[in-house]
Amino acid sequence: IQVTNKASNKIFDVEWNLHIGNVDRTSQPARSFKDNPGNTVTMNEVFMFDVNEPFQLDMSLTGHPVATKFGTMAGFSNAQQAVHLGQLQLSFCLETMDRSIRTYKLLPSSDNDDKSTTKSDCEVVIMMGLHVLEEPVEDRSWETAARYRGFLTFMTRGARMSNWKRYWAVLEGRAIKLYDAEYQQKRDALAIIPLTHLSGMHPPDPEKVDVGANGFSLAISPQGVDKSTSGEHSDVFANMDYCLYGFTDSLQMHDEWTAHLQESLEAFRAHMAQRLKARQRRLSRRAFQSLSRHSFESSAPPSPLDGCEEGGDPLADLVELKFVW
């Protein structure tokens, strides 16, 4: 920041005050020097502000008179009160602005005493820029972080009859992955049960599935079932309860699986709620940027899917039909 007061050659110790929202920044005092015309002061400081919406930058310049060996400089009172040399207001929208040097004329400050003998005709040269960040990269490590492991046995639908199959199960942040019971995670998962459409782990209806106190059912919404492979089982949807039935190796394991699954479901919903809020903020920012640039290339409103994960498999969050009853 460099300021020149063309109307006076009096020497000041000058301070800048910058204000955005509820954040204030004040420069270190810098002494002006006589220039032609007037006097000039240069402040070699960098001021950083973080913003998340359009903003106004308020700047004010204050000068403190400098005494000489002859006492207080001519034109100043002995009180040596601070003098408001000018102010500036700049408004910005959230658009990238390359760093550049800009010149502005300061407006007279309303705080100045009308009887002040200090003349002010200030011009300010500022190097400024605005860098707009896209949404911060989301930490998605929670999605694949293992929260619990153990054996689970599920009832599966066969070509002619149902059967029970034992799996090595790994509960991750957004899914239960089922592996071969013998090779476990040495081989790829045989099936994946996403948490997206699960509502919780409950005791099964004993009239339908009776496997003792170790038994459980996982309730799933109808939208969470992969019906693309129904084939000869297309008639099963009429009386489907939309549940996955299974049991654990012991009652203790049942209680532990229930607790960990409920905890994982709550954490999953919290993460997805945060993701939705971030997506809405991103869409709002894009909409404002489009309006601020007067870009009306299309009158169609932004798609609600804008900002969603691209290139994803639409079946990735569905449960295989053979597990659902």
Side-chain angles (χ1 to χ4, degrees):
I1 304 175
Q2 185 178 73
V3 183
T4 299
N5 186 357
K6 299 179 180 180
S8 173
N9 60 2
K10 299 173 183 177
I11 306 302
F12 293 90
D13 284 334
V14 178
E15 292 180 350
W16 262 112
N17 180 263
L18 299 90
H19 176 86
I20 294 179
N22 58 357
V23 179
D24 286 288
R25 302 274 191 269
T26 301
S27 71
Q28 292 293 321
R31 183 158 297 183
S32 64
F33 57 90
K34 291 185 178 181
D35 200 353
N36 187 19
N39 67 88
T40 298
V41 60
T42 300
M43 282 156 279
N44 189 22
E45 291 190 55
V46 176
F47 300 92
M48 300 288 291
F49 293 88
D50 290 321
V51 296
N52 56 14
E53 60 185 0
F55 63 96
Q56 177 174 287
L57 170 62
D58 295 314
M59 298 184 287
S60 59
L61 187 67
T62 303
H64 299 270
V66 177
T68 67
K69 63 182 179 180
F70 300 107
T72 305
M73 290 189 62
F76 292 119
S77 67
N78 291 330
Q80 297 192 35
Q81 294 180 345
V83 178
H84 297 280
L85 299 175
Q87 61 186 6
L88 179 65
Q89 290 183 339
L90 301 174
S91 297
F92 298 89
C93 59
L94 291 186
E95 288 186 312
T96 296
M97 182 176 72
D98 292 335
R99 188 173 63 178
S100 59
I101 296 176
R102 301 183 176 215
T103 303
Y104 301 94
K105 188 174 183 62
L106 296 186
L107 299 176
S109 175
S110 57
D111 295 334
N112 263 346
D113 188 346
D114 291 339
K115 298 180 181 179
S116 173
T117 59
T118 302
K119 297 180 180 179
S120 178
D121 180 15
C122 293
E123 185 178 81
V124 58
V125 179
I126 308 175
M127 178 179 287
M128 64 171 61
L130 182 63
H131 180 57
V132 178
L133 297 173
E134 290 299 322
E135 198 66 32
V137 177
E138 181 186 4
D139 179 11
R140 304 185 64 169
S141 59
W142 63 270
E143 295 185 6
T144 55
R147 303 176 68 93
Y148 195 65
R149 296 181 176 88
F151 289 103
L152 291 178
T153 301
F154 281 96
M155 185 167 68
T156 60
R157 181 179 287 103
R160 297 183 179 180
M161 59 183 298
S162 62
N163 57 73
W164 294 92
K165 187 169 182 180
R166 193 166 185 249
Y167 296 93
W168 174 254
V170 178
L171 174 60
E172 296 184 349
R174 63 176 300 163
I176 303 173
K177 292 186 177 180
L178 305 180
Y179 297 85
D180 181 88
E182 179 180 356
Y183 293 99
Q184 298 184 9
Q185 290 170 260
K186 295 178 182 179
R187 294 186 178 180
D188 294 337
L190 299 175
I192 297 177
I193 302 174
L195 302 185
T196 308
H197 302 286
L198 293 185
S199 61
M201 193 170 180
H202 313 283
D205 184 349
E207 295 184 0
K208 296 182 178 180
V209 179
D210 188 4
V211 289
N214 301 359
F216 64 84
S217 66
L218 300 178
I220 183 174
S221 65
Q223 295 81 9
V225 181
D226 179 8
K227 301 177 182 179
S228 63
T229 58
S230 58
E232 60 187 43
H233 302 294
S234 57
D235 58 334
V236 302
F237 300 112
N239 299 313
M240 182 173 283
D241 294 329
Y242 293 98
C243 287
L244 289 74
Y245 295 113
F247 61 87
T248 60
D249 285 4
S250 68
L251 186 57
Q252 179 183 352
M253 294 296 294
H254 176 276
D255 294 342
E256 292 182 3
W257 268 106
T258 301
H260 284 286
L261 180 59
Q262 188 60 39
E263 181 182 303
S264 297
L265 283 172
E266 292 174 0
F268 172 77
R269 290 163 185 160
H271 281 295
M272 297 310 291
Q274 292 176 359
R275 183 174 297 175
L276 178 60
K277 289 181 180 179
R279 183 181 304 161
Q280 291 172 339
R281 288 197 301 268
R282 183 164 57 247
L283 290 175
S284 297
R285 186 173 66 244
R286 289 177 181 175
F288 179 84
Q289 289 174 343
S290 177
L291 291 174
S292 65
R293 289 192 298 266
H294 304 286
S295 174
F296 300 100
E297 298 175 359
S298 172
S299 59
S303 168
L305 297 180
D306 187 20
C308 295
E309 297 172 5
E310 299 179 355
D313 183 356
L315 302 179
D317 285 333
L318 300 180
V319 180
E320 288 185 60
L321 179 60
K322 70 176 184 179
F323 289 102
V324 185
W325 297 85

